[in-house]
Amino acid sequence: MDIVWLVAGLVLILAGANALTDGASAIAKRMGISELVVGLTVVAFGTSTPELVISVVSAINGNSQLAIGNVVGSNIMNILVIIGVTAMVRPITVTRSVMSLEIPMVILSSAVLLVLGNSGSIDGGGVNEVSRVSGIFLLIFFLLFMRYTFASAKQPDLSPAAPAEARTESAPMPMWKSAIYVVLGLAALVWGGDRFVDGASGIAAGLGVSEAVIGLTIVAVGTSLPELATSVVAATKGRAGLAVGNVIGSNIFNVLMVLGVSATIKPLPFDSIGNFDLLTLLTASILFYLFGWLFKDRTITRIEGALLTSIYIAYVAILLIRL
């Protein structure tokens, strides 16, 4: 049954990603909101719902390693695999504002996570954890980021124009139909992600893999599949802003909102989630920024995408070797 749920979850995730991308793009056109903003908010929130549910439930049940590992692992995969694979499908060109504002926010959130992961050592012999106070501050910063995002919602979309084949549609679908697509897409993504995680976790548990590794790999991959499917589908349709905004919004959402809510419910000690994992996330975030400028201005090329994906494979291999 675990294998059945694994396959069924993947099918639902792919179908949901396609519906969500079409619906969100149509809404953006109807309301005059840039696809980047839609990706940073509606799509990012929707595709990060599995992380929120799993981390909150894990926090309530006292499974802190699963709660934190899920966020750290998902963010690592979001950058290295989702940006990597999406760039290999179609090189990603991003706007100057994204390079100067949104991606630095991803780097900052990763740096904050590294500091929290060493908070006990910084304090002098305390516990490395995301405390309730830290959780509240994360939520405050999340609200400030949302305030900035919505303030720029009505600015014109400066994302590179979609290729001709992606602009053949005469007019966006009706608002009611777009809303149905978004709702059904999100529902399929969330339920499909849940089914995939259940199946994958059952298989991993049967193999005797630790909770921390399950959180960093199996659960992280499962909960990141909605982002992967959504970004790849968006890229193939020429929606660069939606693809990039989805990853950026999801990473910021995971650290500030998911960990913020989870830690406010119950403090989250890092335990075996250590500096190797946190530094990998910070390094991936910095590479995300640097690759936007190297070789081809503000474009993440196929070669750079392949390099990012290779780094993730090496990261997982090291985790498995250290078991």
Side-chain angles (χ1 to χ4, degrees):
M1 282 306 298
D2 288 332
I3 296 175
V4 171
W5 285 130
L6 196 75
V7 175
L10 182 59
V11 171
L12 282 169
I13 284 168
L14 294 174
N18 190 68
L20 179 61
T21 300
D22 289 345
S25 296
I27 289 174
K29 284 185 178 180
R30 289 285 183 184
M31 299 183 67
I33 299 174
S34 73
E35 289 185 345
L36 174 63
V37 172
V38 174
L40 283 169
T41 54
V42 177
V43 178
F45 289 4
T47 55
S48 287
T49 302
E51 284 94 334
L52 178 61
V53 172
I54 288 172
S55 289
V56 168
V57 171
S58 298
I60 294 174
N61 294 336
N63 301 324
S64 65
Q65 291 185 70
L66 193 59
I68 295 178
N70 175 35
V71 168
V72 175
S74 293
N75 281 15
I76 291 173
M77 180 171 172
N78 282 352
I79 296 173
L80 297 181
V81 177
I82 296 178
I83 292 296
V85 171
T86 302
M88 285 191 288
V89 171
R90 174 172 287 173
I92 305 171
T93 302
V94 294
T95 64
R96 188 174 297 277
S97 65
V98 170
M99 293 300 303
S100 59
L101 294 173
E102 277 82 13
I103 296 181
M105 273 295 297
V106 173
I107 296 174
L108 179 60
S109 66
S110 301
V112 167
L113 203 51
L114 178 63
V115 171
L116 292 175
N118 290 276
S119 56
S121 303
I122 295 172
D123 290 338
V127 178
N128 296 327
E129 67 174 10
V130 184
S131 65
R132 280 196 174 92
V133 173
S134 297
I136 292 172
F137 273 107
L138 290 176
L139 289 175
I140 292 172
F141 283 120
F142 175 74
L143 293 175
L144 291 174
F145 175 73
M146 285 296 97
R147 173 69 182 85
Y148 153 76
T149 300
F150 284 114
S152 62
K154 285 295 182 180
Q155 294 179 3
D157 190 357
L158 300 177
S159 300
E165 66 269 19
R167 299 197 303 268
T168 55
E169 53 196 333
S170 56
M173 69 179 74
M175 200 66 174
W176 64 269
K177 189 175 181 181
S178 302
I180 291 176
Y181 268 54
V182 169
V183 171
L184 292 180
L186 288 176
L189 286 171
V190 172
W191 198 66
D194 182 59
R195 295 299 88 201
F196 182 92
V197 169
D198 281 349
S201 296
I203 294 172
L207 297 174
V209 181
S210 73
E211 185 179 275
V213 173
I214 289 176
L216 285 166
T217 55
I218 302 297
V219 177
V221 169
T223 56
S224 289
L225 278 178
E227 285 95 334
L228 176 60
T230 301
S231 290
V232 170
V233 170
T236 58
K237 295 182 177 182
R239 312 296 187 186
L242 203 62
V244 174
N246 175 37
V247 169
I248 293 173
S250 294
N251 273 35
I252 295 173
F253 182 90
N254 286 346
V255 174
L256 301 185
M257 181 65 173
V258 174
L259 280 187
V261 171
S262 302
T264 301
I265 294 173
K266 191 171 185 178
L268 303 174
F270 279 79
D271 293 331
S272 58
I273 309 296
N275 283 331
F276 171 68
D277 309 298
L278 300 176
L279 285 171
T280 298
L281 174 57
L282 181 59
T283 301
S285 302
I286 294 172
L287 287 176
F288 185 16
Y289 178 78
L290 292 178
F291 283 0
W293 293 116
L294 295 176
F295 303 119
K296 191 175 180 181
D297 192 28
R298 290 188 288 107
T299 300
I300 300 176
T301 65
R302 285 190 170 92
I303 293 176
E304 291 167 336
L307 180 57
L308 289 174
T309 306
S310 299
I311 292 173
Y312 183 78
I313 294 173
Y315 166 71
V316 173
I318 292 174
L319 282 182
L320 296 177
I321 291 173
R322 293 169 61 186
L323 287 178

